[in-house]
Each structure stands twice: as structure tokens, then as C-alpha cells.
Amino acid sequence: MANRIVVDPITRIEGHLRIEVEVKDGIITDAYSSSPMVRGLENVVKGRDPKDVWAFVQRACGVCTTVHALASVRAVEDSLGIEVPPNAEMVRNIMEGALYMHDHTVHFYHLHALDWVDVVNALKADPVETSRIAQSISNWPKSSPGYFSDIKKRITKFVESGQLGIFANGYWGHPQMKLPAEVNLLAVAHYLEALEWQKEIVKVHTIFGGKNPHPNYLVGGMACAINTESPGGLNAERLAYVGRLLEEGKQFIEQVYIPDLLAIASFYKDWGAIGKGFGNYMAYGDFPTNGYGDISSFKFQQGVILDRDLSKVYDVDHRNDDIAEFVNNSWYDDYAEGRDQGKHPWDGETNIKYSGPKPPYDQLDVSQKYSFIKTPRWKGKPMEVGPLARLLVGYARGNKEIQEAVNGALSHLDVPVDALFSTLGRTAARGIETQLVANWTMEFYDTLLQNIKNGDTRMANAAKRDPALWESESKGVGFTEAPRGALAHWIKIKDAKTENYQLVVPSTWNASPRDPLGQRSAYESTLLGTPVADPELPLEIIRTIHSFDPCIACAVHLYDEHGKHLSQVQNVSSCEI
Amino acid sequence: MATEKSVKETYYESIIKQGYSRRDFMKFATYIAAYMGLETSMIGQVAKSLENTFRIPVIWEHYQECTCCSESFIRSDHPIVSDIILDKISLDYTLTLMAASGYQAEAAKHATMEKYKGDYILCVEGSVPLGDDGNYCCIAGRSAKELLLEAAEGAKAIIAWGSCASNGCVQAAYPNPTDATPIHKIIKNKPIIRVPGCPPIGEVMAGIIVHLITFDRLPELDGLGRPKAFYSKRVHDSCYRRPYYDAGLFAETFDDQNAKDGYCLYKVGCRGPMTYNSCGTIKWNNGVSYPIQSGHGCIGCSEENFWDNGPFYERLTGLAGFGIESSADTIGKVAAGVVTGGLAVHAVAANISKRKELRSRTTRAKQNEKKLDS
């Protein structure tokens, strides 16, 4: 029967995104990625004081809540030639490290796990066996049969209440759910523990930045002045608090997140061959240890890998025309130079012009412009960015620490290197790098303490806060590795005001529509070839899309080869299972 | 599907089902009462209300937003969010956390809107773009405005989370490219609890939910629709650096010796004097710190138009109507809330103690202000 199904929106992501997919014989043959929401932040910051812009653009995302502020202050500092004190660099690194620890763990448990974990099936688990499994993979103390028995009891009562809340209508009992009941129970227990844990690690942001989400940043350094002899500044108590939070965060990652990731992944090794994509990867590099200007000191290295060839890594340059954004398929006015021309972000434009279907609508016309996301390219090529890209670039550049971590995970799971280029690889890479970043963050913390011990208490370089000291015109770029991938902001400053401002974010790279050559971006590319067991419950699509940790909520449309509408989807309520 | 019986399950039943005793339940009620700042004589009332209430369904919409409000909500320490979503409410729709996607997600929302018509709470995160006929934010192929009006129709109470839903926030800053609009300008016939902040404090968000389900009525609101419990004081009035302000001791720039000594941040742009919020009292992330304590001035994120009241690092002198010692009475004209849909707005006398001390402080502060401006 020729049908079409609408699955709209995909949840457990940030923002709004829509993907339309064609299916033939149970296999995805084409895909279109679209974001149907726009705010126009790039236009809002025009004319503003460059020192203020970090706060505006920070609101691009409240999940990865520090990264846009960091990219922005770096862009302004780069533009004005401001170097930040070493303590500020370390505090920024520690905050970013804490974000990785928070964001990746929350992604695994709260945004991704329910694609692999069957909550309702956990009710069938034997808590004694769950306890045995838990103790065989980790030293985490909450692992007694009584503990898991209590969790099971709590979930059972919850389900029996008939009010299933966030678990209503999930994909429970789907044939692609492969975990034993006991592992499902383990994962559900840790879902709840992680929900409680995540509010702790972010306190690192609160101490340095005053709040989370959206801690405060500062052009020239950080605002949290150091004073070991005063209640008014960062003193021994505040610093010890950070130390404890980082230590406990690291423990949770090592004893809960990583063992769970490996345990769950071992049941889904077939996903090491699904979601491959085009095989180009890009990282900007991050975590400077000797200043933003010295990229050789970065913990994550920069580079581009083409066609999965790890024998060659190309350098990224943000300042020449290697990076360009296109709007040929995006709801903006075409550039004066022509619809198929790209623009370097310093000269980028954001002239919103919607030309899609009028709501309410069932489907997009993908032969026309079909998204609010622009299409960035590196030397004309689409790039995948994110944890996998970072690890591959480090791996290919011979970074021993990264090679050991990656090889260790591969041998634990007993899968080949090729399995990295996949949905499973993306999800595993996120965990592997979380562990690396947790270790590095402790190093940054030790460096900060050592600096202070050595008598350096500088936290901000206020020398150039007065615009009278600025050139009349300047431009800069601030790049970082957000948890979701390579992120950069480009600014032009004129007469002490923001003349132009452009953000090219990780999901712009991954989720964009086709470029003028018809090349697909990462989401569209990685969905090709994915099997869909039950088109009415397209769990497989969500798995691959979630493996990117999108910053944009999705709506997924499925077409069969005739583009016809599938019959109404059954409302599968988990309390009937 | 939920049965009629299960719909009526109360907190008391839910807690007893979980293996807790009546005694545990009373401890919980006591805790809630203490949390709400109530007299011990009211514990009985709290317990009674918990015994007789089923888990209220919540529909949480996401429009033009950055999800910082959802993130802040899950940061709540008391109650913790797993207890809220498992035991206190039934969070039936939220794009951020729910397992179901697509059709299944929308179906869950519609099931709740039908089954619990008049009984569910609608939470809105994000502004609604009215520009270009609503084309700037669509979910499931439908415009945010259409979705909002539909969900508001059967809601018992509506909460505008954060500055986006309350005031439009960053996308509504000049030139407001998409005509981003706060929800009270779209929904006119229902009371809306406005909870501004970018984001609001997690414990404030949880506290408002707890208030609604515990007392089955709106918290007392000020003239701007904000709960007085959390928005009746200026950050400046509860700031631990206030004595430095009164003494005329200010950080002149970031990281100078005065900043290191924790002096007042007014001269580097702090908006504490014109910002109504709980940052100085409840603080952030279970009381760990707040922006001023961590050395950065308040940017006024819970105030209307705060994005256009910049630059952030310049002391506000010329802003009309905001003399530094303007009182809550002149800035936030307090009016009675609206009574509809079974929700009673109750009145609590404001605690205006130490009037005399405040007056003398004000006099000193005004003198300081004059010195600054001269």
C-alpha cells in the first residue's frame, strides 16, 4: 500500500528541525533537512557595543550555554588585539570542560538513551541480576539488589498510575530495542541518577559565572576576580568547591556514563555500519594552554579529513575564503552576486525571506528553498563536525592520548576502526572525549591553583575596554569546539560598533540543506541507506539524528517511493504494553 | 490508556503506593509547607490538599527559545526534577525530554488536551513570531500562534516561562526581525503567570509549580503578572554588596583592587537597582552564587526591554523612570490578579518591616548617587 507518514517533531533535541525522508523497500533513499524557526540574532546585534554582544549571542543556545559567549568574546578580543590573562584562559577552559561533562552526559541519558533503552521492558527485570551486571562493569556504589528493586518498584507504580508523562507513547516494544530487561533497568536507574547529578556539575559555572544556564563572560578575561584574602573574590573556599565538583563529575563519568555506554553499545554493534555519511570531518581545535593565538598548545587539534582518509589532515583557516556560506536553498534573499555564490562570514548577510509553504502544511517543496539554516562549505565540500570529527582529527594527527582512548574503546567493543564512521561511532566518540575532557579539566584546575600560588591573580585585561583606544575598523574571528562541534563567530567592528556579525554553528554544518552542487550535508547524507523496520515508528531515524546531538528540534517526514501518504499512525500507548 | 481511577490518583495515594508511610507523607507535607514559607498551623491544609489532588498534567510548549528555561528547570534542587516529573505532575508534552517523537508526541499532547480539558497547566517557553503571518516558527507544519491558541483554550493556568514568553527577550530586541511577541499579547482571556528571567532561577520555576499543585490557586501576582514571592524585591535590595553601595565604594573597572575586594558593581553597569528578581535571596543553582557575587554586574535579564537598555557596562543614569532609589511601588505598580477557572488569587500582606531603616538607607544612597553624577 502506498502511504506516507508524518512524524513531527522529533523530540529530545534543542530547537526546531524538520527532516523529510524517502523510503524504498524499507531503506532510506533520500533525505532533506530543514529548520522551520528563525530569530534573526545576527541582525539584532548589529550596531551594538561589541563588548555586549556575547550576552546576546549566548542566547543562541541555552543547552550548550557557554559556547557562544566564549566564541563571541574571542572574536572581539581577536578583533581588538586583546590577550586574556592565563587565569582567565584556565577558568574559561574549566567552564568549557564542565560543560562537556554536563552536556554529553545529559545527551546520553536524557536525549539519546530512550532510543536504545526500553523503559517499560525494565519492569520485567530481575533486580538481583541487574545488581550483578552493575557490579561487574563498575565500582559505582549504588548497585545493590535493594537499590534496583526500589527503582523497579517506583517505575512500576508510575506506569500503573496511567499518567505516563514524558514516557507516554515512546517506542517501547519496538523490534529494534535489543537490551535485556536487566540492562534496561540499569539504564533507567542511571537516567534518574544522571538527572539529579547534572545539576551539580554546572555549579562550576555558577561559581565563576554567577549562574547556569547562561553564566557571565567578559571581553578581556573573566569577571570573577581572585582574592584569596577576601570574601569578595575567588578564595580558597570557592576554589575548593570547584575542585570537589570536578572530582565528583569525573567519578560519575568514569563509573556510570562510560560503563553504561560500553554495556549498551555492545548490544548494538550493528549500528557501527549504519549512519556513515560522506566521510569528511572538520575540527577547529580548542582548550588552549598557552593563549588563543598558539594553536599548537590546544588540547583538541584543528584539521580537516576528507573521504575517511586518516593518512592526511588539512589545516583550517578561518580568515581566507576556504569557509563560505550559501543561501541557495535557504529562506533568505539571494546574494547580489548570484544565488549560487557563497560568502565568507565576515561579509555574510542575513536577510530573512520566507518562501516556503504557508502553515498549516503537510510537506515542504524541496525543489525550492526549504530551510532557515544556511549551507556552509569548506573549500566547497560538506563537513561533519562534532565529537567524532575531533577524535578523528586528533587520531590522524598522531595524538597519543586520543589514539589510546579510541583504540581502548574499539578493542573493548571488539569492533574495527571502520565502525567509528557510523551512528554508533558518533555516540561512542562523545563518551570517549568526555573522559578525556574530564581529565584535562583537572589539569586546568591544577594550573589555575599553581598560577595563584605563584602570585598571579590577574583575571581580566581591562586595558582596552575604552573604545577610544580601538582602531576605527577591525575584524576578528572567535572559534571554539562546542560539545556539538566546530563553532565560530565572525565580527566586523566599525567606529566602536558591531558592523557585521555572523555565527556558523555546528548544526549549520551538520543540518544544512543542499548546496548549489546538490551535495547533501551531514544529516541528509548519514540517513541514506538506513533500514526502517516499521515506517510508522521510525526509531532508526531518530537514532542517527540524535547521534549528532542536534541543536534543533526535528520534524521527520517519511515518503515511500511514490511520495504517497501512509495511513494514520497508530497511537501506541506504553501502558497497553 | 489512563483510566478514570488512575486519573484521580492523589499525591497521597501515589506516595503510599511507593511504599512510604503516612508518617513519611506528613513529613513531606511539612517540608512543602516550610518550603512555601508557611506557618506550622497550615501543615494540615497542605497535607489535605496533597491527599485530594491527582497529578496535574502539564503541557510545555517550545517556540522561539534557546531551551535555557527547560535547562534551568531541571537544575532545581528542591524539589529535584525527577521527583517533580515522577511524583508531582504529569509532564505530558515537552520537546526537550519526552520519549515519543513526531506523531506520537503530538498525539500525547492532544490526548491530554481532550482528557484533561480545563485541568491541565500550560507552560510556554519562547516567544511567538507574528511577522510574515507566523511563518518564522512552525512545529508539525503549524505556526506557533495557532499552536498556542489551541493549547491555551483548555488550560487551567498558563505559565510564561522566562523572558521570551514574558517579554519577547533577545529576539524581540531592536529591530525585532521576526516580530517576536510575548504570549500575554496573544492570549487575553486567561490569567498568565509571568516568570521572567533569562532563564528564571530553577528553584523559582519549581516553586511556582509546587504552589499551583499544592494550593490549587495562582500565587499572588504583581501588576506585571509576576509572582510576588519571587519578584517583589530588587536585586539591589537583597544584594550582599549593598553596604559598599551605601558607603560609596565601587569597582571602577573589572579586576581592579576594588573589584577584588568585592565592592559594588554599579559603576561597571550593574542593573541590580532596577531589576526585580530573587538572585540575591534564593541565588542560583541551590544558592551557590549569583552574577554579582561572581563579580559581574546584573544585566537585568528579568526586566522588560533589558536588551535595549545597554550598553551593559555603562552605568545607567538617563533611563527615564528609573532613579536608583525608585521604589517597588513606583516601578512595578502592583495590581490584583485575575480570578477565573477555579483558581483563586489570594492575598498575602506584604512584609514591609524595617521601614525606618530603609528610609535612612535611601537617603544615604541618594546622596551617593548625587556625588556620582556630579
Side-chain angles (χ1 to χ4, degrees):
Chain A
M1 194 171 73
N3 295 308
R4 193 182 108 187
I5 177 176
V6 176
V7 187
D8 178 355
I10 286 183
T11 54
R12 286 180 278 125
I13 34 186
E14 196 293 313
H16 305 277
L17 180 83
R18 177 184 187 97
I19 290 178
E20 306 202 355
V21 181
E22 289 174 15
V23 177
K24 188 173 182 181
D25 301 331
I27 302 286
I28 294 173
T29 56
D30 211 344
Y32 296 87
S33 168
S34 162
S35 173
M37 196 273 267
V38 68
R39 293 186 288 164
L41 295 188
E42 291 165 328
N43 295 338
V44 168
V45 297
K46 277 190 183 178
R48 310 251 176 198
D49 184 335
K51 299 194 298 294
D52 288 3
V53 170
W54 69 262
F56 288 79
V57 294
Q58 182 179 43
R59 272 67 185 179
C61 186
V63 176
C64 40
T65 173
T66 60
V67 299
H68 292 285
L70 179 61
S72 182
V73 294
R74 281 178 174 170
V76 176
E77 287 156 3
D78 182 55
S79 185
L80 300 175
I82 297 172
E83 280 189 32
V84 308
N87 289 329
E89 179 170 281
M90 284 307 121
V91 166
R92 289 177 180 182
N93 280 352
I94 293 167
M95 290 175 74
E96 193 181 351
L99 175 73
Y100 269 69
M101 294 159 79
H102 177 270
D103 203 41
H104 283 353
T105 308
V106 166
H107 175 263
F108 181 72
Y109 286 104
H110 308 117
L111 306 185
H112 204 15
L114 301 181
D115 302 340
W116 314 96
V117 173
D118 188 329
V119 176
V120 175
N121 178 260
L123 303 185
K124 296 177 184 157
D126 171 8
V128 177
E129 176 61 9
T130 300
S131 166
R132 192 198 62 74
I133 294 169
Q135 289 171 2
S136 74
I137 61 173
S138 170
N139 293 325
W140 188 244
K142 284 179 156 180
S143 64
S144 70
Y147 173 66
F148 290 114
S149 176
D150 284 350
I151 296 284
K152 183 180 162 181
K153 209 183 291 175
R154 191 176 188 196
I155 297 301
T156 304
K157 299 301 175 196
F158 178 81
V159 171
E160 284 176 355
S161 81
Q163 285 186 287
L164 286 178
I166 57 170
F167 300 120
N169 291 5
Y171 300 108
W172 323 129
H174 190 282
Q176 269 290 340
M177 290 289 193
K178 302 243 173 92
L179 297 182
E182 285 70 24
V183 179
N184 281 323
L185 179 59
L186 176 72
V188 170
H190 291 168
Y191 177 103
L192 295 174
E193 273 185 62
L195 197 52
E196 191 166 348
W197 167 83
Q198 56 83 29
K199 68 182 170 40
E200 298 302 313
I201 185 68
V202 300
K203 290 175 181 170
V204 172
H205 292 176
T206 319
I207 292 167
F208 291 130
K211 65 198 267 268
N212 171 285
H214 296 329
N216 289 310
Y217 277 69
L218 185 76
V219 168
M222 292 300 284
C224 49
I226 296 168
N227 189 341
T228 55
E229 314 306 326
S230 156
L234 284 182
N235 54 31
E237 179 271 332
R238 296 274 96 181
L239 293 166
Y241 201 164
V242 171
R244 195 206 83 193
L245 292 165
L246 294 177
E247 194 57 59
E248 288 177 359
K250 189 164 164 301
Q251 266 175 25
F252 192 86
I253 286 154
E254 287 172 351
Q255 296 185 18
V256 184
Y257 175 17
I258 300 302
D260 283 1
L261 169 65
L262 294 172
I264 292 171
S266 69
F267 290 93
Y268 289 105
K269 288 184 195 175
D270 51 330
W271 283 80
I274 297 170
K276 285 179 116 59
F278 45 63
N280 301 334
Y281 300 92
M282 181 172 72
Y284 291 163
D286 207 352
F287 292 115
T289 59
N290 186 38
Y292 178 65
D294 179 7
I295 56 169
S296 69
S297 78
F298 286 19
K299 289 285 196 180
F300 278 132
Q301 291 153 291
Q302 59 82 27
V304 165
I305 290 166
L306 297 178
D307 300 325
R308 299 188 192 92
D309 178 5
L310 300 186
S311 69
K312 175 100 180 101
V313 185
Y314 303 85
D315 286 334
V316 179
D317 187 338
H318 303 87
R319 296 167 200 276
N320 63 21
D321 284 341
D322 287 356
I323 293 172
E325 274 196 309
F326 297 84
V327 293
N328 61 298
N329 270 322
S330 310
W331 288 315
Y332 301 94
D333 270 335
D334 288 331
Y335 300 143
E337 293 80 358
R339 179 169 180 178
D340 290 349
Q341 297 301 305
K343 272 184 179 287
H344 184 269
W346 267 327
D347 301 317
E349 299 171 4
T350 305
N351 298 318
I352 302 169
K353 189 180 179 186
Y354 181 76
S355 57
K358 193 169 170 45
Y361 56 83
D362 288 331
Q363 67 183 95
L364 296 167
D365 179 359
V366 292
S367 69
Q368 307 290 320
K369 293 180 177 231
Y370 62 92
S371 180
F372 278 120
I373 297 180
K374 299 178 192 172
T375 305
R377 291 292 181 255
W378 180 82
K379 292 192 175 178
K381 295 178 191 306
M383 291 289 142
E384 176 180 334
V385 299
L388 178 60
R390 283 190 284 266
L391 291 194
L392 289 174
V393 166
Y395 196 97
R397 287 213 187 264
N399 182 318
K400 291 273 176 298
E401 207 177 355
I402 287 175
Q403 285 180 340
E404 274 172 30
V406 171
N407 290 338
L410 290 174
S411 79
H412 184 102
L413 289 173
D414 191 23
V415 291
V417 178
D418 263 10
L420 284 171
F421 309 114
S422 69
T423 296
L424 182 70
R426 238 168 260 122
T427 297
R430 187 170 292 110
I432 294 167
E433 76 166 14
T434 310
Q435 208 168 8
L436 288 171
V437 169
N439 291 334
W440 296 342
T441 306
M442 294 306 299
E443 290 176 26
F444 304 142
Y445 176 70
D446 291 342
T447 304
L448 175 66
L449 294 191
Q450 195 59 47
N451 273 353
I452 298 173
K453 188 179 173 190
N454 292 345
D456 180 1
T457 62
R458 293 169 300 155
M459 189 55 88
N461 173 358
K464 277 198 172 173
R465 289 197 69 81
D466 180 0
L469 303 171
W470 304 353
E471 303 286 329
S472 65
E473 285 189 49
S474 62
K475 58 185 182 180
V477 55
F479 61 86
T480 176
E481 282 292 334
R484 289 162 181 79
L487 164 70
H489 293 187
W490 283 261
I491 189 172
K492 273 186 175 174
I493 299 172
K494 189 176 178 187
D495 300 330
K497 290 198 178 337
T498 305
E499 169 85 353
N500 198 17
Y501 202 93
Q502 292 281 308
L503 304 83
V504 182
V505 313
S507 296
T508 321
W509 287 99
N510 289 337
S512 38
R514 270 157 231 225
D515 65 21
L517 298 175
Q519 298 179 101
R520 295 177 185 87
S521 297
Y523 288 6
E524 295 184 350
S525 164
T526 50
L527 286 171
L528 300 185
T530 299
V532 178
D534 179 353
E536 298 196 354
L537 299 170
L539 180 61
E540 297 90 342
I541 292 167
I542 308 171
R543 285 181 173 173
T544 292
I545 292 296
H546 280 161
S547 76
F548 286 96
D549 189 4
C551 276
I552 10 181
C554 301
V556 174
H557 287 225
L558 277 183
Y559 300 112
D560 71 356
E561 65 265 43
H562 309 299
K564 296 279 182 63
H565 206 270
L566 278 173
S567 59
Q568 274 294 45
V569 185
Q570 291 304 303
N571 181 0
V572 180
S573 169
S574 48
C575 43
E576 289 168 345
I577 295 171
Chain B
M1 281 298 144
T3 63
E4 189 55 32
K5 182 171 171 291
S6 63
V7 165
K8 295 293 178 198
E9 181 176 14
T10 65
Y11 297 110
Y12 177 69
E13 284 166 350
S14 162
I15 279 169
I16 298 302
K17 259 189 176 179
Q18 286 168 52
Y20 294 101
S21 64
R22 170 81 195 168
R23 188 181 161 80
D24 292 329
F25 171 72
M26 286 310 293
K27 271 165 70 180
F28 172 70
T30 309
Y31 161 77
I32 289 289
Y35 175 72
M36 298 307 301
L38 298 174
E39 303 282 330
T40 47
S41 61
M42 285 191 73
I43 292 170
Q45 187 186 330
V46 171
K48 192 158 179 283
S49 112
L50 289 170
E51 275 181 282
N52 296 321
T53 320
F54 58 88
R55 276 166 52 226
I56 293 182
V58 172
I59 291 174
W60 188 310
E61 292 275 2
H62 299 256
Y63 305 132
Q64 283 181 303
E65 44 91 317
C66 75
T67 315
C68 73
C69 296
S70 288
E71 287 281 347
S72 191
F73 179 66
I74 69 170
R75 305 288 191 269
S76 169
D77 178 87
H78 44 277
I80 61 170
V81 79
S82 56
D83 288 351
I84 300 175
I85 62 178
L86 290 184
D87 305 335
K88 294 181 173 59
I89 61 172
S90 187
L91 186 51
D92 292 351
Y93 184 82
T94 163
L95 298 186
T96 308
L97 286 174
M98 71 187 300
S101 278
Y103 179 88
Q104 284 80 16
E106 298 300 297
K109 180 168 86 172
H110 284 108
T112 295
M113 288 195 301
E114 282 163 33
K115 193 189 302 270
Y116 297 98
K117 192 168 170 51
D119 279 332
Y120 63 84
I121 297 173
L122 173 65
C123 298
V124 180
E125 180 173 357
S127 59
V128 176
L130 296 182
D132 199 6
D133 274 348
N135 289 331
Y136 297 138
C137 178
C138 290
I139 298 155
R142 300 173 67 197
S143 71
K145 183 184 173 188
E146 184 190 350
L147 292 166
L148 173 65
L149 290 172
E150 179 187 67
E153 176 71 28
K156 171 184 191 168
I158 300 173
I159 303 177
W161 284 144
S163 290
C164 290
S166 296
N167 298 323
C169 203
V170 64
Q171 54 273 5
Y174 179 84
N176 191 354
T178 61
D179 196 8
T181 305
I183 64 168
H184 66 271
K185 294 196 174 163
I186 296 169
I187 304 166
K188 305 276 194 185
N189 60 346
K190 301 231 176 187
I192 295 173
I193 306 171
R194 289 163 73 186
V195 191
C198 190
I201 297 168
E203 284 81 11
V204 166
M205 299 174 77
I208 289 166
I209 294 268
V210 167
H211 187 112
L212 287 173
I213 61 177
T214 304
F215 304 122
D216 195 26
R217 63 188 178 213
L218 298 187
E220 190 180 3
L221 307 176
D222 70 9
L224 295 174
R226 305 174 297 189
K228 284 185 182 176
F230 307 114
Y231 293 94
S232 59
K233 281 202 139 189
R234 299 179 305 171
V235 173
H236 190 54
D237 296 329
S238 50
C239 184
Y240 81 109
R241 297 196 186 199
R242 177 62 184 265
Y244 291 111
Y245 174 86
D246 293 340
L249 297 169
F250 301 97
E252 298 294 331
T253 185
F254 289 99
D255 214 25
D256 68 0
Q257 191 54 47
N258 291 359
K260 287 178 188 291
D261 287 339
Y263 288 3
C264 176
L265 299 168
Y266 179 58
K267 287 176 81 173
V268 289
C270 185
R271 288 346 187 215
M274 60 283 296
T275 303
Y276 287 81
N277 210 334
S278 298
C279 301
T281 47
I282 295 174
K283 298 191 183 178
W284 281 82
N285 307 101
N286 198 24
V288 171
S289 184
Y290 67 112
I292 295 165
Q293 187 176 346
S294 294
H296 195 287
C298 163
I299 64 170
C301 74
S302 53
E303 290 302 310
E304 235 172 309
N305 301 323
F306 76 98
W307 293 108
D308 289 331
N309 289 339
F312 292 140
Y313 299 100
E314 281 175 25
R315 183 165 57 89
L316 280 181
T317 50
L319 198 61
F322 283 96
I324 193 160
E325 285 303 334
S326 295
S327 69
D329 294 333
T330 53
I331 291 180
K333 290 251 187 282
V334 175
V338 189
V339 185
T340 65
L343 285 161
V345 180
H346 68 124
V348 175
N351 176 12
I352 313 168
S353 63
K354 300 183 181 173
R355 249 182 216 282
K356 203 171 171 185
E357 190 196 319
L358 274 175
R359 217 175 5 244
S360 74
R361 262 201 201 176
T362 304
T363 312
R364 268 181 290 143
K366 277 186 174 155
Q367 285 163 356
N368 284 329
E369 197 180 359
K370 270 186 200 149
K371 266 188 243 164
L372 276 172
D373 289 332
S374 61

